[in-house]
């Protein structure tokens, strides 16, 4: 089959087993972006409520399932667009590596598993789980009607931090603004680098009449908007640390993350996207990890 030999996107696994195809279907390596922030919520909550291995395992499983639903549903909704876009036409659905039925079955199983893990955690998580699934799935339609789809995606990832906290405690935070600030910090962080991601599809998005800040503002001003978004993310992370009572190790992690964000912005310039992959994947993966590790060191010490 011609599609089976088409070149894949980066950050995908080699091989043609069904497991590999499902992993590539939802870009499994990109899990590194937001999972550390879900675990950050868990870590902060553990200062108030004892954390068990069972709860930690359920949080990781719930996050993986929710992400599979969000990315899988997005691939299903966008399959015709992906088939027309030279950058994405080798993805699993347009290339034929997965059938539409296989995609729907996997998304359905992941959604059911997510609801089951939420039920196993506590009543509050179970009550909020359907709303979370609806919100993260609806993102798939955002670029069809709003230039601000980047922030919708950001909040879809950002709710992972409050979710991790609620999974452990089963109740809202004190102070009340801690969880909203944590969610907004991740929202602006993800939203900023999603603007970068949209740079590579500017021509295609204009032709298909899709919305993004790059289409609305052009490359130079969209990159400026990404800088502003990342600045707000850093402010949010600092405020989150204050509200959670975190110590110096956490702020060192945030400072290191800020250095990598600055490096990311030096790599991507208007008219020069040759180093975009390093900015999108390497820098952002490191940011989430070092912020979490800073909080972990602070918690352990």
């Amino acid at each position: 089959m011609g599609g089976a030999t088409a070149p894949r996107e980066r950050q995908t696994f080699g091989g043609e087993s069904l497991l590999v195809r499902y992993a590539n279907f939802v870009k499994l390596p990109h899990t590194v972006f937001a999972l550390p922030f879900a675990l950050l919520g868990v870590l902060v909550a553990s200062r108030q409520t004892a954390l068990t291995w069972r709860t930690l395992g359920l949080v990781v499983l719930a996050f993986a399932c929710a992400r599979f639903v969000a990315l899988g549903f997005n691939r299903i909704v966008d399959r015709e667009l992906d088939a027309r876009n030279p950058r994405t036409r080798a993805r699993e659905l347009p290339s034929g590596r997965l059938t539409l039925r296989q995609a729907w079955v996997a998304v359905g199983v992941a959604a059911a598993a997510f609801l089951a893990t939420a039920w196993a955690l506590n009543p509050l998580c179970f009550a909020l789980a359907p709303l979370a699934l609806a919100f993260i799935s609806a993102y798939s339609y955002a670029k069809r009607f709003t230039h601000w789809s980047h922030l919708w995606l950001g909040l879809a990832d950002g709710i992972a931090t409050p979710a991790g906290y609620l999974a452990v405690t089963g109740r809202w935070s004190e102070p009340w603004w801690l969880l909203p600030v944590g969610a907004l910090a991740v929202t602006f962080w993800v939203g900023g680098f999603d603007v970068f991601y949209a740079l590579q599809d500017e021509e295609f998005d204009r032709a298909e009449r899709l919305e993004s800040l790059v289409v609305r503002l052009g490359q130079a001003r969209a990159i400026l908007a990404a800088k502003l978004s990342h600045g707000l993310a850093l402010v949010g992370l600092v405020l989150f640390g204050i509200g959670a009572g975190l110590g110096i190790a956490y702020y060192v992690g945030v400072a290191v993350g800020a250095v990598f964000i600055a490096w990311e912005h030096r790599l991507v310039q208007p008219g020069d996207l040759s180093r975009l992959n390093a900015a999108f994947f390497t820098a952002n993966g490191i940011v989430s990890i070092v912020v979490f590790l800073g909080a972990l060191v602070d918690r352990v010490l």
Side-chain angles (χ1 to χ4, degrees):
M1 177 170 63
T5 58
R8 295 182 176 87
E9 292 181 276
R10 296 179 179 181
Q11 292 95 48
T12 56
F13 299 106
E16 291 299 329
S17 70
L18 184 60
L19 184 61
V20 167
R21 282 178 280 156
Y22 275 133
N24 290 337
F25 177 53
V26 295
K27 277 290 189 73
L28 188 62
H30 287 190
T31 304
V32 72
F33 291 152
L35 178 58
F37 282 114
L39 297 178
L40 178 62
V42 169
L43 198 65
V44 170
S46 72
R47 298 160 66 96
Q48 303 177 31
T49 304
L51 176 64
T52 66
W53 286 109
R54 175 185 178 275
T55 298
L56 180 60
L58 287 171
V59 168
V60 173
L61 179 59
F63 178 88
C65 290
R67 187 183 178 280
F68 196 105
V69 172
L71 267 291
F73 186 73
N74 180 259
R75 296 295 190 254
I76 290 170
V77 170
D78 283 354
R79 64 190 184 279
E80 294 180 1
L81 291 173
D82 287 343
R84 295 195 293 269
N85 187 339
R87 183 180 66 82
T88 59
R89 62 173 53 136
R91 285 177 174 172
E92 277 55 44
L93 283 178
S95 70
R97 289 189 179 96
L98 285 178
T99 67
L100 184 59
R101 180 177 182 276
Q102 287 174 319
W104 273 118
V105 167
V107 169
V109 169
F114 174 73
L115 293 174
T117 55
W119 176 83
L121 282 165
N122 57 63
L124 180 57
C125 287
F126 185 55
L128 295 175
L131 298 177
L133 283 182
F135 182 80
I136 63 179
S137 298
Y139 156 74
S140 298
Y141 298 100
K143 62 186 176 183
R144 289 163 171 80
F145 63 86
T146 176
H147 298 291
W148 299 97
S149 59
H150 316 285
L151 293 183
W152 193 322
L153 174 63
L155 186 54
D157 279 334
I159 59 178
T161 301
Y165 184 97
L166 297 176
V168 177
T169 64
R171 62 182 184 276
W172 200 254
S173 64
E174 180 62 41
W176 67 266
W177 51 264
L178 176 65
L179 297 188
V181 164
L184 287 174
V186 180
T187 296
F188 287 122
W189 172 66
V190 173
F193 75 67
D194 191 59
V195 172
F196 279 178
Y197 196 61
L199 291 170
Q200 58 195 328
D201 287 332
E202 179 183 7
E203 183 178 342
F204 177 81
D205 288 349
R206 290 186 187 278
E208 294 288 336
R209 297 185 177 181
L210 297 173
E211 308 285 4
S212 75
L213 282 183
V214 180
V215 170
R216 176 69 179 272
L217 302 175
Q219 286 193 10
R221 289 196 293 171
I223 290 174
L224 182 60
K227 292 180 187 291
L228 175 61
S229 185
H230 282 156
L232 291 173
L234 292 172
V235 171
L237 288 174
V238 170
L239 291 175
F240 182 80
I242 294 172
L246 296 173
I248 186 64
Y250 169 77
Y251 295 107
V252 170
V254 172
V256 173
V259 170
F260 278 98
I261 288 176
W263 174 64
E264 169 186 0
H265 283 271
R266 288 182 61 86
L267 289 177
V268 181
Q269 301 295 329
D272 180 12
L273 307 181
S274 60
R275 296 179 290 179
L276 178 61
N277 187 64
F280 177 74
F281 186 72
T282 307
N284 285 290
I286 292 173
V287 168
S288 58
I289 291 171
V290 298
V291 170
F292 169 72
L293 288 178
L296 180 61
V297 170
D298 178 72
R299 180 71 176 91
V300 171
L301 299 181

